[in-house]
Amino acid sequence: MRSPEGLEAILLVGGQGTRLRPLTLSTPKPLLPTAGVPFLAHQLAKARAYGVRRVVFATSYRASMFAEAFGDGAGFGLEIVYMTEDTPLGTGGAIRNAARALTCPPDAPVLVLNGDILSGHDIAAQVDLHVSRGAAVTLHLTEVDDPSRFGCVPTDDDGRVSAFLEKTPNPVTNRINAGCYVFQRSVIDAIPEGQVVSVERETFPGLIASGELVLGYADTSYWLDVGTPAAFVQGSADLVLGKLGSPALPGPVGESLLLDGAVVSPEAKVTGGTVVCARATVEAGASVRGSVLSEDCHVASGATVVDSVVGVGARVASGAMLREVVVGDGALIGPGNELTSGMRVWPGVNLPECAVRFSSDV
């Protein structure tokens, strides 16, 4: 069953993305190029496919950049409006602030999406469950190996949420809050306006305690929080490889996605879901796997780049090796450097030849 045409959504995109620095020093996390387009393009295209027609962006950090990127939403077949928090209001406060731009009645469902989640779950089925059961809120739930890093959400046999345990050290289940909610509009309107409110620590536990029906929609489809550099690179590669389908992918799935203007030598090896952005160059003899090569960057002959991000205009010299690394915009990685294990090179930094080594030979 399809979700109702005309469904409205709130998209939470106000965070500063500190875990992704230096990538987010100049660009909000939801706008980072992911599989060839801004991350949010994948979410917007999926929401449109499930019946969403109007989206309210809840913005804060570098708010103007979202309107510059997406305008009025016509390119996605959507109507997009923007609501900005002057000061951060938490997840609940952001949802309440954005709700001032909703047009639906109090008894209508409202989809709420987090701007840093890739998910393959069926939004329509989540909305249908919410409507058919008359729930106050319906949470998308997924299972993870380490639930202590997320909101732990136990449910009874009927799917009713019995508790919401935010980042508890002793989780009672590996089923967690997956960051996509369906709210009854009237429930959003009951959140205090203009105040800092956490839905995870205040709204959801309060609804449960008062006996309101809070449901869990659990499934085992693809799910990824892209809030860290490693997860961001993985998400981009998974989209290119086709592990998660996206209507916004600007090309066929495969080992690599070469955007218009990319220059890749036939003698280079570019695999693992790598994206090579406009005017980026990969020379003969270079090896790139599972990485994001930003606009105007350059990977020289003999360089190796694995599971990494190379920033705009950055250069990786011959013989350099990058593995699970973020290289900021305009940085230079000189010959013979070995960077690995989550290292982050800030924008404009120049690493001379063999400045960083993990092996003893040079």
Side-chain angles (χ1 to χ4, degrees), residues 86-231:
D86 295 328
T87 58
L89 296 172
T91 49
I95 292 169
R96 179 65 182 88
N97 185 64
R100 295 186 293 126
L102 294 174
T103 61
C104 60
D107 61 347
V110 177
L111 183 68
V112 178
L113 300 164
N114 275 280
D116 55 3
I117 299 294
L118 279 176
S119 174
H121 85 287
D122 188 335
I123 291 174
Q126 183 181 354
V127 175
D128 291 341
L129 174 66
H130 175 87
V131 172
S132 66
R133 296 281 300 276
V137 183
T138 301
L139 316 176
H140 174 216
L141 307 180
T142 192
E143 296 181 356
V144 296
D145 293 333
D146 180 13
S148 65
R149 299 190 299 114
F150 303 95
C152 180
V153 187
T155 61
D156 64 19
D157 293 339
D158 201 32
R160 187 176 192 130
V161 175
S162 56
F164 195 98
L165 309 171
E166 180 66 0
K167 296 181 176 64
T168 176
N170 299 300
V172 297
T173 175
N174 67 340
R175 190 170 283 175
I176 61 136
N177 168 28
C180 175
Y181 319 125
V182 183
F183 274 83
Q184 207 69 355
R185 166 71 191 271
S186 58
V187 174
I188 295 177
D189 291 341
I191 297 173
E193 189 172 2
Q195 298 182 27
V196 177
V197 180
S198 165
V199 292
E200 298 87 356
R201 299 184 186 279
E202 299 172 69
T203 306
F204 295 153
L207 289 168
I208 294 166
S210 64
E212 294 284 351
L213 179 57
V214 178
L215 288 177
Y217 172 77
D219 80 342
T220 57
S221 60
Y222 182 101
W223 183 87
L224 185 66
D225 175 351
V226 298
T228 65

Side-chain angles (χ1 to χ4, degrees), residues 253-317:
V253 298
E255 287 293 315
S256 62
L257 174 62
L258 310 184
L259 300 185
D260 289 346
V263 179
V264 177
S265 168
E267 283 76 46
K269 190 173 183 180
V270 181
T271 61
T274 291
V275 178
V276 185
C277 292
R279 301 175 306 281
T281 301
V282 184
E283 292 185 350
S287 176
V288 183
R289 185 173 78 244
S291 296
V292 176
L293 305 184
S294 304
E295 290 89 347
D296 301 299
C297 77
H298 187 99
V299 179
S301 176
T304 300
V305 180
V306 179
D307 298 337
S308 297
V309 182
V310 181
V312 175
R315 301 180 67 83
V316 182

Side-chain angles (χ1 to χ4, degrees), residues 3-42:
S3 59
E5 292 291 313
L7 180 67
E8 288 188 287
I10 293 172
L11 191 51
L12 301 175
V13 293
Q16 294 189 23
T18 54
R19 291 182 297 164
L20 275 169
R21 288 178 180 167
L23 299 176
T24 51
L25 289 174
S26 58
T27 303
K29 174 171 57 176
L31 295 182
L32 290 174
T34 308
V37 294
F39 178 82
L40 286 185
H42 300 289

